[in-house]
Amino acid sequence: MKPKTMNRKKGFAALITILQIYLPAFSQGWQPADIYSKESFQTLQLQYQNAETLPIEERLRLFKAGTQAARHHQDKEWVRKFAYKAASDAVALDSLGTALAYINIAREAADESDPFTVNIISYQGVVHKSAGGYEAALGFYEEALELARKKYPEKITLPLGNIATLYRSQQDYEQAIHYIHQVNQISLTLDSLQKAYNLVYDYAELCIAYSNLGQPDSATYYAELSIDNLNKIDKQLNMKAAAFAYITVADFYIDQLQQPHLARPLLDSALHYTEGFYHTKVRLSLGKYFLSTGHLKKTGALVLELQNTPMQSQTTKLRLLELSKQYYTETGMFREALACADSIAILKSERFSQEKNRLMGFYAAKFKNQQQQQEIQALRYEQQAEKLRHKTARLIFLLISLLACTVAILLGLEFSRKKRVANILRKELEIKTEDLKLANKMLADKVDKLNAFKYTVSHDLKTPISSAFNVLTLIKMQAGDLLNSTTAQLFANLDTVLTQMEEIAEGVSAYLEADALELRPSKIDCEKLITAIFNQQKHLYPDHLKRYSFLIRSPLPDCHSDPLLFRQVITNLLSNAIKAVQHEAHPEIQVYGQLSNGEVQLSFKDNGIGIPLQKRERIFALFKSVHDRRQFPGTGIGLAIVKRIMERHEGRIEAESPGEGQGSTFTLHFPLI
């Protein structure tokens, strides 16, 4: 074929394409009213169901008319169906411009909620691949694969198979085999009918890939598998699968195995099941068969017929030029063969320039249209945003008003609550004030009674005792030597009883003073005061203290206490300790202190008579003594006074003893200030 002839035919084909796109009613032979009425649209839908029985040219006109009608009625589902079929048949007729226009129409009407969208996106890649746009095709295939993996896993085989075909077209056969095996593994899990269709494609693709990798045994194996699976299906239901398998395996037998006799029955079957684009491919394979078997006359007639057939596919044109060059070489027409070789070189170097320019123009117009749509959409968004701002402002005002009302109500409720609480507190305060007045009055009465009792003890009780002492002394002076021993002993006993009564009166008076005396606490140097008191006790017990061991473990912590009452406490404890150890062979008294748990602790330990376990609880009771008075003289008031003084200082006293005869420890606990 000569280059000038090819250019004229390309121009003619482009003109037909423009007429098909922009004058659909003219190309279909129908008036606009015929396809835009509701009745005609319903008729087109019915014809769609049986369209496979029509010749491919008539079928394409039907699908194009259906697309226009569906767009008029704004039925996106039927737009997708008609436009997809129109693009598919346009590719089969080698009309790539029409195919591109209609597959884009189908994509505009696509919806990701419809699984058929995967088919539409994939076929966008098929159309771009046929036009030489391999990178664009791969982008569409990957987009379809992502959608299938995300929502429709049953559709994964379609984009995977298309990617494999794309790599085969670019002669990257290893990648092609990788993807075909993925498709094949998924195909084996499908139902029987879909499984058979997919396997026909898969094995045919593997045959091509292994053939181009120089592995004829593997290619033969998959060629036989493809035909074997093809014989298991109804070829009328999927004529494209049948045509692709027959042509692929026949070309393999002719080109690689050099066994054209095996290809002839396959080509005869392919002629029966193909039309349009695939029909041209079958006749090219048939021309190769005639040439390989020496039927030059039939080859020449077929070459001449194909040269007069309009073609848009660059790949199909290259195959025709290759067949023509081989035929002219075999028949000695070297000038024509050389012209074909030149055309092949030109076509290979500029094979997609025209289609590229056309696609660029198409996409420029599409981009401009999209830009206009985006501006319109932006204006709509702005209007919606303005409405939304107005609604938002009203809502905010309403919310602020509601909030203000809520705050006012809450403040009113809080004020009422506080007023009620204030009234309750005022009433409680009045009641407590009355109670306090009553308590103060009762306390004053008790203080008066206590003072009266103290006065009674100090004067009314001591006065008879003093008088008794005086009478007893006067009698003993007047009797002189007249008293016998019995009478003298009775007077001695009476003297002892009166002495004890006087001590009890003084003890009660001291106890009352400890309870009534006003506290005036100050900081006290405990170590200094205890040492001074012990030195005073030495003068009271001069004979005993000479052999006593008295130890103060320095340093003793200071404490806050009333000095007078603190002196009374220490005096009573040291006096008791001295009495407790007076009969011991090695009497020992220890004093030590520490700060612990927020209090000052002072301990007085002796190795004296100890405390019986069964009497430990009564040791601090008034007038209660846990020892025989002959063994431990006293009135039983001293420790009671100590306990009362500690209680007034918000402290306490503890007594510990392992048992009688094992010593004892008294510990004072003063709070820190």
Side-chain angles (χ1 to χ4, degrees):
M1 183 183 297
K2 295 182 180 181
K4 291 184 178 180
T5 304
M6 290 179 58
N7 290 335
R8 285 196 300 271
K9 289 188 175 182
K10 286 196 294 185
F12 179 74
L15 177 62
I16 292 298
T17 299
I18 293 172
L19 291 174
Q20 288 175 337
I21 295 175
Y22 294 103
L23 298 175
F26 173 77
S27 63
Q28 296 162 14
W30 291 342
Q31 296 298 323
D34 292 334
I35 63 172
Y36 294 145
S37 65
K38 186 174 181 180
E39 293 77 11
S40 298
F41 183 43
Q42 292 175 347
T43 301
L44 289 170
Q45 293 175 7
L46 293 174
Q47 291 178 346
Y48 175 89
Q49 308 299 331
N50 302 314
E52 293 298 329
T53 60
L54 300 175
I56 189 168
E57 292 85 357
E58 186 176 345
R59 193 167 66 220
L60 176 59
R61 288 196 295 271
L62 169 66
F63 293 147
K64 289 163 72 175
T67 302
Q68 300 300 325
R71 295 181 78 181
H72 175 76
H73 291 282
Q74 298 182 352
D75 191 331
K76 288 189 175 182
E77 180 181 359
W78 279 102
V79 169
R80 293 195 292 270
K81 291 181 178 181
F82 279 121
Y84 178 82
K85 287 290 188 180
S88 178
D89 284 342
V91 170
L93 289 172
D94 210 15
S95 181
L96 298 182
T98 302
L100 183 62
Y102 278 91
I103 196 62
N104 284 324
I105 291 173
R107 180 62 186 277
E108 289 174 359
D111 185 355
E112 287 194 2
S113 62
D114 182 6
F116 192 64
T117 302
V118 177
N119 299 61
I120 294 173
I121 299 174
S122 294
Y123 210 76
Q124 277 187 292
V126 172
V127 175
H128 282 79
K129 171 182 169 292
S130 301
Y134 294 113
E135 292 185 4
L138 182 60
F140 285 118
Y141 294 153
E142 290 177 345
E143 183 182 354
L145 181 60
E146 182 180 358
L147 178 60
R149 282 175 173 163
K150 185 163 76 171
K151 289 190 175 182
Y152 310 109
E154 71 278 5
K155 292 278 188 177
I156 288 179
T157 56
L158 180 59
L160 279 176
N162 288 329
I163 293 174
T165 305
L166 179 65
Y167 280 118
R168 176 176 59 79
S169 301
Q170 294 181 309
Q171 299 182 358
D172 189 348
Y173 299 111
E174 292 182 355
Q175 281 282 16
I177 290 172
H178 170 73
Y179 279 99
I180 295 170
H181 278 302
Q182 288 189 41
V183 177
N184 185 247
Q185 290 176 0
I186 299 173
S187 298
L188 292 172
T189 65
L190 302 176
D191 60 83
S192 57
L193 183 60
Q194 186 63 37
K195 173 180 177 180
Y197 289 151
N198 286 355
L199 291 178
V200 168
Y201 275 112
D202 299 346
Y203 294 141
E205 288 283 359
L206 287 169
C207 172
I208 296 172
Y210 281 113
S211 174
N212 284 283
L213 284 175
Q215 300 180 26
D217 293 340
S218 298
T220 303
Y221 172 73
Y222 286 111
E224 292 174 353
L225 282 178
S226 179
I227 299 301
D228 191 36
N229 279 274
L230 183 60
N231 293 331
K232 297 178 183 179
I233 63 175
D234 185 354
K235 302 171 189 62
Q236 293 288 348
L237 297 178
N238 198 332
M239 291 191 293
K240 288 183 180 179
F244 177 73
Y246 282 136
I247 295 170
T248 299
V249 177
D251 286 345
F252 170 68
Y253 286 151
I254 295 171
D255 296 334
Q256 300 294 328
L257 299 184
Q258 305 296 321
Q259 296 179 0
H261 62 281
L262 297 177
R264 183 55 193 265
L266 301 179
L267 293 174
D268 290 340
S269 299
L271 284 170
H272 179 72
Y273 291 110
T274 57
E275 56 184 352
F277 175 64
Y278 280 103
H279 193 68
T280 302
K281 293 183 69 173
V282 173
R283 286 189 293 164
L284 282 170
S285 298
L286 192 60
K288 288 197 296 183
Y289 165 77
F290 287 142
L291 188 61
S292 63
T293 55
H295 295 84
L296 299 179
K297 188 175 181 180
K298 292 182 179 180
T299 305
L302 191 56
V303 166
L304 182 61
E305 180 185 351
L306 290 171
Q307 287 176 347
N308 293 322
T309 301
M311 298 180 187
Q312 287 190 11
S313 173
Q314 304 293 335
T315 304
T316 307
K317 290 177 183 179
L318 282 172
R319 292 187 63 193
L320 177 57
L321 287 171
E322 290 285 354
L323 178 62
S324 300
K325 184 183 74 170
Q326 293 177 12
Y327 168 71
Y328 290 139
T329 302
E330 290 291 333
T331 56
M333 301 171 67
F334 298 110
R335 181 176 294 178
E336 287 78 0
L338 185 60
C340 289
D342 291 340
S343 298
I344 290 172
I346 294 171
L347 191 59
K348 282 185 176 181
S349 62
E350 302 177 358
R351 60 186 302 184
F352 301 124
S353 60
Q354 182 180 0
E355 188 65 25
K356 180 179 178 181
N357 292 334
R358 189 191 64 76
L359 288 175
M360 287 177 63
F362 174 81
Y363 282 120
K366 182 179 179 182
F367 176 76
K368 184 176 181 181
N369 184 43
Q370 288 179 345
Q371 200 172 25
Q372 292 175 350
Q373 290 180 352
Q374 289 174 356
E375 291 176 356
I376 295 172
Q377 191 67 24
L379 183 60
R380 290 177 180 171
Y381 286 153
E382 182 63 28
Q383 293 175 347
Q384 292 176 357
E386 184 63 30
K387 292 180 180 179
L388 183 60
R389 282 194 294 269
H390 181 67
K391 290 182 179 179
T392 304
R394 293 181 61 188
L395 181 60
I396 291 173
F397 177 77
L398 181 61
L399 289 175
I400 292 174
S401 301
L402 182 61
L403 181 61
C405 293
T406 304
V407 170
I409 293 172
L410 291 176
L411 288 175
L413 293 174
E414 182 66 15
F415 178 76
S416 300
R417 186 187 67 82
K418 288 184 177 180
K419 188 175 180 180
R420 289 195 302 272
V421 170
N423 291 333
I424 293 172
L425 291 176
R426 186 172 59 254
K427 291 179 180 179
E428 290 181 354
L429 182 59
E430 292 175 355
I431 294 172
K432 289 183 178 180
T433 302
E434 293 297 328
D435 292 342
L436 183 59
K437 290 179 180 179
L438 181 60
N440 288 335
K441 184 178 180 182
M442 293 174 65
L443 181 60
D445 293 341
K446 287 184 178 180
V447 170
D448 292 340
K449 291 179 181 179
L450 184 61
N451 290 331
F453 178 71
K454 179 182 176 183
Y455 181 82
T456 300
V457 170
S458 300
H459 297 84
D460 296 350
L461 185 59
K462 285 183 179 181
T463 299
I465 294 173
S466 298
S467 299
F469 264 121
N470 294 331
V471 171
L472 181 61
T473 302
L474 182 61
I475 292 173
K476 286 196 287 184
M477 290 175 62
Q478 292 179 355
D481 296 332
L482 297 176
L483 295 176
N484 58 27
S485 59
T486 302
T487 305
Q489 183 63 40
L490 289 174
F491 278 112
N493 291 340
L494 181 59
D495 186 81
T496 301
V497 169
L498 291 175
T499 300
Q500 289 179 351
M501 290 180 64
E502 188 176 27
E503 289 177 353
I504 290 173
E506 290 177 352
V508 171
S509 179
Y511 184 85
L512 293 175
E513 286 182 358
D515 194 54
L517 188 65
E518 182 182 356
L519 293 179
R520 294 180 179 180
S522 62
K523 185 177 180 181
I524 297 176
D525 187 339
C526 296
E527 185 172 343
K528 182 178 179 181
L529 181 61
I530 291 173
T531 302
I533 294 173
F534 184 76
N535 290 331
Q536 291 176 0
Q537 294 292 320
K538 284 183 179 181
H539 300 292
L540 298 176
Y541 305 94
D543 297 331
H544 300 297
L545 292 180
K546 290 180 181 179
R547 56 190 181 87
Y548 279 21
S549 173
F550 181 72
L551 176 63
I552 296 179
R553 295 181 181 177
S554 300
L556 294 181
D558 296 337
C559 69
H560 281 76
S561 176
D562 184 273
L564 183 61
L565 295 179
F566 183 78
R567 177 179 287 272
Q568 181 69 43
V569 168
I570 301 302
T571 299
N572 289 359
L573 290 177
L574 286 177
S575 176
N576 284 351
I578 291 170
K579 293 176 185 178
V581 299
Q582 62 183 340
H583 300 293
E584 298 296 325
H586 302 286
E588 182 179 321
I589 300 173
Q590 298 182 30
V591 180
Y592 53 90
Q594 65 178 350
L595 295 176
S596 177
N597 298 324
E599 60 185 13
V600 177
Q601 297 179 2
L602 297 176
S603 299
F604 297 80
K605 183 178 180 181
D606 64 69
N607 63 341
I609 60 177
I611 304 171
L613 296 178
Q614 67 274 16
K615 297 181 179 180
R616 186 180 299 174
E617 295 181 358
R618 55 182 284 188
I619 192 170
F620 295 109
L622 191 64
F623 302 121
K624 301 293 183 179
S625 178
V626 297
H627 300 289
D628 190 334
R629 295 186 185 276
R630 290 171 296 178
Q631 182 184 12
F632 193 91
T635 60
I637 299 176
L639 290 179
I641 293 173
V642 171
K643 180 182 179 184
R644 180 57 188 155
I645 291 174
M646 293 304 298
E647 287 176 349
R648 291 198 63 193
H649 284 83
E650 298 182 357
R652 68 185 190 282
I653 181 171
E654 294 178 348
E656 296 179 3
S657 176
E660 190 171 7
Q662 301 183 44
S664 58
T665 302
F666 290 85
T667 302
L668 302 175
H669 297 265
F670 288 93
L672 282 176
I673 298 178

